[in-house]
Amino acid sequence: MRDMQASNVFREVTPLSEEDCFVIFKRTKTEFTYPVHIHPECELNFIENAKGAQRVVGDSIEEIDDLELCLIANENLEHAWMNYKCQSKEIREITIQFQKELLLESLLSKKQFHTIAVILEKTKKGLVFSRPTIEKIKLSLYSLNATQDGFYSVVELLKILHELSMDENSRILSSSYFVNKDDSSESRRVQKMINYM
């Protein structure tokens, strides 16, 4: 479900309920059709076999490779993936959405959760992970999709977040200026670029 905002960015209403720790979706598709959007939930997005597609996260616009893993934890950070130069007709995607409150502040303040706390702070600007890390956790993502119910699925998600937090080659995507802006002028400018492309 999507509501259009003044800047033509859609506010996504996700199916994540207050009773869920997370939701996960696995899709095989021929193209990217979802528009630039925002939502309050944290989102981990894994894309396979979409070389040449374009990732838009805030004011970062980049062409992706055949493996892509991005984590976003900012309710106002616009993001989307677009076809661009992608020729694949079998794009595989796993999306995990969870509430920020899943990891309580009291947990994140403990030393065992320090690296996860650091990564969640970075993901306010969007974070993309290195290929070795993606290859390391790829099977865990597929496994989590297959067993997404029950206590151990939450443990598995925490393990995935921990592995991601150890990636020394992860990279912040959006600029501080874009994330902290007080008005929507930059947002409108990025939207015009996206519409043109």
Side-chain angles (χ1 to χ4, degrees), residues 86-173:
C86 180
Q87 300 296 314
S88 174
K89 295 302 175 189
E90 193 179 339
I91 300 164
R92 293 181 290 278
E93 184 175 36
I94 295 175
T95 302
I96 302 170
Q97 293 175 331
F98 58 95
Q99 304 282 5
K100 287 182 240 177
E101 294 77 22
L102 176 63
L103 294 164
L104 301 173
E105 298 246 356
S106 55
L107 268 181
L108 292 175
S109 66
K110 307 301 183 198
K111 62 182 179 181
Q112 290 86 352
F113 280 82
H114 174 71
T115 58
I116 294 178
V118 169
I119 198 178
L120 288 178
E121 184 62 30
K122 289 180 180 178
T123 59
K124 290 179 180 176
K125 300 176 187 175
L127 201 59
V128 66
F129 298 94
S130 66
R131 188 178 188 94
T133 295
I134 299 172
E135 289 173 343
K136 185 175 182 180
I137 70 156
K138 176 180 159 183
L139 290 180
S140 296
L141 292 168
Y142 279 108
S143 174
L144 181 61
N145 176 70
T147 59
Q148 57 186 284
D149 295 323
F151 172 79
Y152 289 105
S153 66
V154 180
V155 174
E156 189 62 30
L157 176 58
L158 291 176
K159 284 169 62 178
I160 289 169
L161 291 175
H162 178 260
E163 288 295 335
L164 295 179
S165 75
M166 305 309 287
D167 185 356
E168 294 179 355
N169 296 307
S170 63
R171 188 166 48 85
I172 290 172
L173 294 172

Side-chain angles (χ1 to χ4, degrees), residues 7-41:
S7 63
N8 291 330
V9 174
F10 287 99
R11 179 172 290 280
E12 179 184 358
V13 180
T14 71
L16 184 64
S17 76
E18 290 188 5
E19 296 178 355
D20 294 315
C21 287
F22 68 94
V23 291
I24 185 168
F25 311 97
K26 179 176 177 280
R27 297 174 285 271
T28 301
K29 57 191 185 182
T30 59
E31 61 181 342
F32 294 96
T33 57
Y34 208 79
V36 177
H37 62 283
I38 57 175
H39 48 74
E41 295 79 11

